[in-house]
Amino acid sequence: MSSFSRALAMEYQASGVIVQTVTPLVVSSNLSGVPPVRLLVKSPDDFVREALDTVGVSDHTSGCLLHFVQSLLLRPIYALSVLLLQAALLWKSLLAPLRRPFGRA
């Protein structure tokens, strides 16, 4: 989605059209299962109000300050989990030829 948005922004840049990628975290809505508004969950109205303030300022945004801070904190955890998954898949592929079929000596 991010690549598509960048391409679209470049295509329409001369015509004055603003294309912005918004990657929110949890917003209390029917789509997200209506979690209650809490410290880490924004209401739709509050989220949209803050997100609209970023139009024309940045081509990519989390939509609000709270989601930006959360994404900064979650990014290292996500990167580590991807790294661990890749390492596990590599070890699995390296060990696969050494495994004996079940029931054979």
Side-chain angles (χ1 to χ4, degrees), residues 80-96 99:
L80 180 60
S81 66
V82 169
L83 180 65
L84 291 174
L85 178 62
Q86 289 175 342
L89 292 174
L90 175 65
W91 276 105
K92 182 179 178 182
S93 67
L94 291 174
L95 295 176
R99 291 189 182 150

Side-chain angles (χ1 to χ4, degrees), residues 34-47:
V34 195
V37 175
R38 294 192 181 154
L39 177 64
L40 300 178
V41 179
K42 296 291 268 185
S43 73
D45 291 338
D46 290 342
F47 178 80

Side-chain angles (χ1 to χ4, degrees), residues 46-70:
D46 290 342
F47 178 80
V48 169
R49 195 173 300 109
E50 285 188 57
L52 286 175
D53 288 341
T54 67
V55 173
V57 176
S58 174
D59 60 347
H60 185 268
T61 181
S62 297
C64 65
L65 181 61
L66 175 64
H67 289 183
F68 174 71
V69 171
Q70 287 179 55

Side-chain angles (χ1 to χ4, degrees), residues 4-43:
F4 175 72
S5 294
R6 282 194 303 269
L8 200 60
M10 289 178 67
E11 176 123 3
Y12 288 99
Q13 184 176 15
S15 63
V17 174
I18 296 172
V19 177
Q20 181 183 51
T21 305
V22 181
T23 54
L25 293 176
V26 182
V27 176
S28 180
S29 70
N30 292 335
L31 183 64
S32 63
V34 195
V37 175
R38 294 192 181 154
L39 177 64
L40 300 178
V41 179
K42 296 291 268 185
S43 73

